[in-house]
Amino acid sequence: MFRKVLNKLPRKSSKGSEHREQSGSGRSHGVSTSKSSVIVTPGSSKPGNSSPALNAGQNHGNRAPLPLSVNENPNGNFNSYEALPSIRDVPNSEKPSLFLKKLKMCSVVFDFTDPSKHLKEKEIKRQALVELVDYVSSANAKFTENLMEEVVKMVSANIFRTLSPQPRENKLVDGLEVEEEEPSMDPAWPHLQLVYELFLRFVASPELDAKLAKRFIDQSFILRMLDLFDSEDPRERECLKMTLHRIYGKFMAHRPFIRKAVNNIFLNFVFETEKHNGIAEFLEILGSIINGFALPLKEEHKLFLVRILIPLHKPKCLAMYHQQLSYCISQFVEKDCKLADTIIRGLLKYWPITNSSKEVMFLSELEEVLEATQPPEFQRCMVPLFRRVARCLNSPHFQVAERALFLWNNDHIVSLIKQNRKVILPIIFPALEKNARSHWNQAVHSLTLNVRKIFHDLDADLSRECLQKFEENESKEAEVTAGREATWKRLEEIAAKKAASSEAVLIGKAPTRSSTG
């Protein structure tokens, strides 16, 4: 059910999507071939003689110290891996103990920075992981505490490491992703993929008792897992997203902690760094969580909207996660239409001034919010809202002006505007008239004429009043401009006559524009 819900959410578009598809197909293939896997496990190891393979490559991250050592002879070959029978080939009574032995064997982390090193041992571990995935998937008895502990230890040994992020400067121009290098792919992915698959199936298994497992999948584990969302590898973030959602669904005691921890990541991103690779994945998870909020909404959830989601519109890299953020915002409006006023005022607070591409995104999101807005909430915010829309209509960037005019293609928004035309039309009429007279883009000019015709057909008297007032204001503006030019001309003439003297130049007060209210 969780997969179905997540699949309906907007997905983050990235250049790594092909890699995620390939990893998904590879994962299925790996599991399906588990019947013919040859499994080996480490034998006895001498204390103090640990292999360099325990470090997961210093170039792509360092793993935590492991409880298991593997011996390596002077030739660089391991001598402590010994073959064990397949789990499916032993009696049922021996399967749990054999499963634990293979878990300990898979706690060894190999160095993937050198593709030519330890090829045999890496393949041995991969085959072992495939069989472990198959065993967990087909389990028909409750997992013991010892098994839970060993699974968490093995997963921790493999996935928890220090990430080595690439430089993120110069990746954005005007808020849009520019041509850049392909996402960094972790060379250890052949093993990491299977470890994540094993853990996901372990958490999702009906044989897992959440009350017992929360001793091992604790808050410390969850925090370290959240840190991994900053991974450069989109395949890893996809696996983390699915796994965290499963944990959130199964471990109810951890839900408030997970929400708080994710909120802290968002706050640090918005107000400190503006750099994080996993914001879109977090928002995908939250979109599903918000969809399940009970009504009436708790105050905690409303604060989350005001303090976290709305400020997420601030960073310059909004384009990287705007689709997911917009989905979360629209979920709140659908849950409680009274929040529309709060959301619209929040958008106006963070409205971009010089970033045209970001402004187009705001207009698209605004349309989604207005579509779920009811008349009482619309009336509370329509004045500041349409002052901003009027500025967008006059934008020299044709995409901004065009997107603002597209609001009149939405029947619900047009209905709201018609009901409040006596307030809205005087605000936007000057912008419409200026576009109709002088906008350089033909598409914007045509759309403006269509919108102006809608108002004229709806209320011709109001349109004439607005036109008359517009012409009066234009005339007054022309007078002010002419007065200003005359003042400068007089000043220049007097200054030319008095240039040789030190006498001060006094001029009369220029006519000022009277207040029009």
Side-chain angles (χ1 to χ4, degrees), residues 196-380:
Y196 278 117
E197 179 72 13
L198 168 66
F199 190 56
L200 177 61
R201 299 197 181 200
F202 172 74
V203 172
S205 174
E207 307 303 334
L208 179 69
D209 188 335
K211 292 182 179 179
L212 295 177
K214 71 179 181 181
R215 291 176 50 196
F216 312 107
I217 304 176
D218 55 11
Q219 293 183 358
S220 174
F221 181 92
I222 291 172
L223 281 177
R224 297 177 72 187
M225 185 176 173
L226 293 178
D227 288 340
L228 294 174
F229 274 83
D230 201 21
S231 170
E232 294 277 350
D233 194 330
R235 302 169 300 181
E236 182 169 17
R237 297 198 303 271
E238 186 72 12
C239 291
L240 286 164
K241 179 188 72 177
M242 299 298 298
T243 304
L244 180 62
H245 196 271
R246 285 287 187 178
I247 291 175
Y248 187 90
K250 194 148 195 169
F251 295 84
M252 296 187 66
H254 288 332
R255 289 183 179 183
F257 176 79
I258 292 174
R259 291 198 299 269
K260 184 177 180 180
V262 173
N263 288 354
N264 289 338
I265 293 174
F266 283 144
L267 289 171
N268 185 64
F269 168 72
V270 172
F271 298 107
E272 296 290 339
T273 65
E274 291 197 7
K275 296 177 182 178
H276 198 286
N277 291 310
I279 299 300
E281 284 77 14
F282 280 133
L283 288 171
E284 283 188 44
I285 297 171
L286 287 170
S288 175
I289 293 173
I290 294 167
N291 190 41
F293 281 167
L295 295 178
L297 291 173
K298 295 180 181 178
E299 191 63 26
E300 172 200 350
H301 300 150
K302 294 180 182 179
L303 288 175
F304 167 70
L305 169 67
V306 174
R307 296 179 180 177
I308 306 295
L309 289 184
I310 291 178
L312 275 170
H313 292 83
K314 174 178 175 285
K316 295 178 181 178
C317 56
L318 174 66
M320 297 174 63
Y321 57 84
H322 180 255
Q323 189 178 13
Q324 292 80 6
L325 177 59
S326 180
Y327 178 81
C328 291
I329 293 289
S330 63
Q331 286 290 302
F332 269 102
V333 183
E334 291 175 10
K335 288 279 182 181
D336 186 354
C337 62
K338 293 181 180 180
L339 293 173
D341 175 48
T342 301
I343 291 171
I344 290 172
R345 290 182 183 273
L347 289 175
L348 295 176
K349 177 181 178 181
Y350 293 101
W351 199 278
I353 304 300
T354 59
N355 191 330
S356 299
S357 59
K358 194 173 176 183
E359 202 165 3
V360 171
M361 287 187 282
F362 269 60
L363 286 165
S364 299
E365 184 175 350
L366 177 63
E367 181 175 357
E368 292 183 15
V369 174
L370 287 174
E371 200 164 4
T373 302
Q374 299 304 311
E377 287 70 41
F378 180 78
Q379 290 170 0
R380 284 200 289 269

Side-chain angles (χ1 to χ4, degrees), residues 484-505:
R484 187 184 302 116
E485 291 175 353
T487 299
W488 279 108
K489 187 175 181 180
R490 264 192 314 128
L491 181 60
E492 290 171 357
E493 292 174 353
I494 296 173
K497 293 178 181 179
K498 306 278 186 176
S501 68
S502 59
E503 184 179 349
V505 179

Side-chain angles (χ1 to χ4, degrees), residues 29-40 86-87 102 105-106 120-134 190-191 194:
H29 176 73
V31 174
S32 65
T33 57
S34 60
K35 296 182 180 180
S36 59
S37 60
V38 179
I39 312 299
V40 289
S86 172
I87 292 179
K102 294 186 177 185
M105 180 187 70
C106 290
K120 177 184 176 183
E121 289 76 16
K122 290 174 183 176
E123 178 61 20
I124 285 172
K125 178 179 176 180
R126 192 193 70 80
Q127 293 286 354
L129 286 168
V130 168
E131 190 168 347
L132 293 178
V133 171
D134 186 59
H191 288 178
L194 292 168

